[in-house]
Amino acid sequence: MHTERALVFDCRGETLVGVVSVPAHADAVAAHTGVLIVVGGPQYRVGSHRQFVMLARFLADNGVPCMRFDYRGMGDASGEARDFEAVSDDIEAAIAAFSREVPGLRRVVLWGLCDGASAICLSLGGNPLVAGAVLLNPWVRTAETQARTMLKHYYLQRLLDLRFWRKLLGGGVNLRGALGGVKEAAGAAAGAGSVPSDREGPVPKRMLRGLQRCDLPVVVFLSGRDYVAREFEQCVVGDAEWGAFMASGRCRVQHFAEADHTFSAVAHSEGVARATLEWICSLG
């Protein structure tokens, strides 16, 4: 059982909107640890197929307070729309509002999907209330990671597919276009297609710096049917520092073989909710 209440709070002069789900019983097992859901864009606090609503209610029913919110420019919040690289102030404001709303809260776990997970990595390391992070299919896209993923998981799969060869021999494939795609992907994978970042380096490097700024435990959930998850894996394979972090004792990885990017099937969404609860309880 749980109760829910809406709240509004300030972030640099703009009004943000949130919903807090609170366990009905004060003696709940993990009531001192709250989960703050950081929404990926462009979405708002409900999430795809109500995923964030269901997650918040599940956690509260099992003793964990949870808050979801709209950052500036999204949903019912005021202000200019912004991307995930510019929401650190919004996350900090939400942590403060969550703490005010649930006085018994002693620590907060940040939970994010796709570029919500990336936003969490960029903001880690500065708030002593933050006790860990749950990252679902983190967004690490660059020209190189996208190209490597396409080469390995699209073009190579096509070459191994008998249907492709039947179609090719039957004249149903634009061979020049296909070869051009492979050449373009190979060039990008080798770095020829990289785009310099105007924000102090590529996103994956800055995400890693955020994770390295602290010693917080992290769990990464990866979907089996998702190119974003494959790009993340390619990023880890191609970067020794990322590989070292993922192999460190403070990072756990869990795979959901049949899940898509947003865990749209109810069984997969519920599986992530249960895995989140189990990981939070493991923090002690």
Side-chain angles (χ1 to χ4, degrees), residues 43 54 74 92 108 117 160 177 180 220 225-226 251:
Q43 290 189 49
M54 294 188 292
M74 293 292 171
E92 288 300 314
V108 174
L160 297 176
V220 179
R225 297 170 49 214
D226 179 30
C251 181

Side-chain angles (χ1 to χ4, degrees), residues 23 26-35 63-65 98 102-109 129 131 280-281 283-284:
D27 59 348
V29 175
H32 59 280
T33 303
V35 172
V64 180
F98 195 11
V102 185
L105 213 58
R106 297 204 297 272
R107 58 187 189 180
V108 174
V109 167
L129 271 181
I280 290 171
C281 291
L283 298 179

Side-chain angles (χ1 to χ4, degrees), residues 21-154:
S21 302
V22 183
H25 303 293
D27 59 348
V29 175
H32 59 280
T33 303
V35 172
L36 179 70
I37 297 175
V38 178
V39 175
Q43 290 189 49
Y44 74 123
R45 61 190 180 276
V46 171
S48 301
H49 47 82
R50 294 174 63 77
Q51 182 184 16
F52 304 154
V53 175
M54 294 188 292
L55 173 66
R57 292 174 178 173
F58 172 84
L59 292 175
D61 283 339
N62 286 277
V64 180
C66 191
M67 175 173 162
R68 46 199 169 89
F69 72 104
D70 299 336
Y71 53 72
R72 286 172 291 175
M74 293 292 171
D76 293 313
S78 66
E80 296 291 329
R82 63 201 65 230
D83 67 19
F84 70 96
E85 297 188 62
V87 297
S88 292
D89 288 340
D90 307 67
I91 295 173
E92 288 300 314
I95 293 171
F98 195 11
S99 300
R100 290 193 299 272
E101 196 67 20
V102 185
L105 213 58
R106 297 204 297 272
R107 58 187 189 180
V108 174
V109 167
L110 303 178
W111 188 105
L113 166 68
C114 193
D115 57 14
S118 309
I120 289 171
C121 294
L122 295 175
S123 70
L124 278 178
N127 191 317
L129 271 181
V130 175
V134 182
L135 311 175
L136 282 73
N137 298 325
W139 174 268
V140 292
R141 179 162 296 175
T142 64
E144 289 92 338
T145 60
Q146 184 180 22
R148 290 193 195 107
T149 302
M150 291 298 291
L151 282 172
K152 181 176 181 180
H153 295 281
Y154 178 71

Side-chain angles (χ1 to χ4, degrees), residues 170-284:
V173 173
N174 179 349
L175 189 58
R176 176 175 292 180
L179 291 174
V182 172
K183 182 180 179 181
E184 182 179 346
S194 62
V195 179
S197 170
D198 60 356
R199 291 181 174 178
E200 301 176 0
V203 167
K205 289 291 186 185
R206 285 185 285 135
M207 289 169 58
L208 183 60
R209 285 203 294 270
L211 292 164
Q212 292 172 333
R213 276 196 299 267
C214 59
D215 57 359
L216 299 174
V218 173
V219 63
V220 179
F221 294 154
L222 296 175
S223 298
R225 297 170 49 214
D226 179 30
Y227 279 123
V228 173
R230 299 293 80 74
E231 287 183 48
F232 179 78
E233 292 171 340
Q234 289 297 312
C235 171
V236 170
V237 169
D239 187 308
E241 283 191 284
W242 261 109
F245 171 76
M246 297 297 288
S248 70
R250 68 185 179 98
C251 181
R252 182 190 300 179
V253 180
Q254 185 167 342
H255 296 272
F256 295 80
E258 300 301 321
D260 59 21
H261 182 61
T262 62
F263 299 83
S264 59
V266 172
H268 302 150
S269 181
E270 291 177 346
V272 164
R274 286 194 299 273
T276 298
L277 178 65
E278 290 169 4
W279 185 75
I280 290 171
C281 291
S282 75
L283 298 179

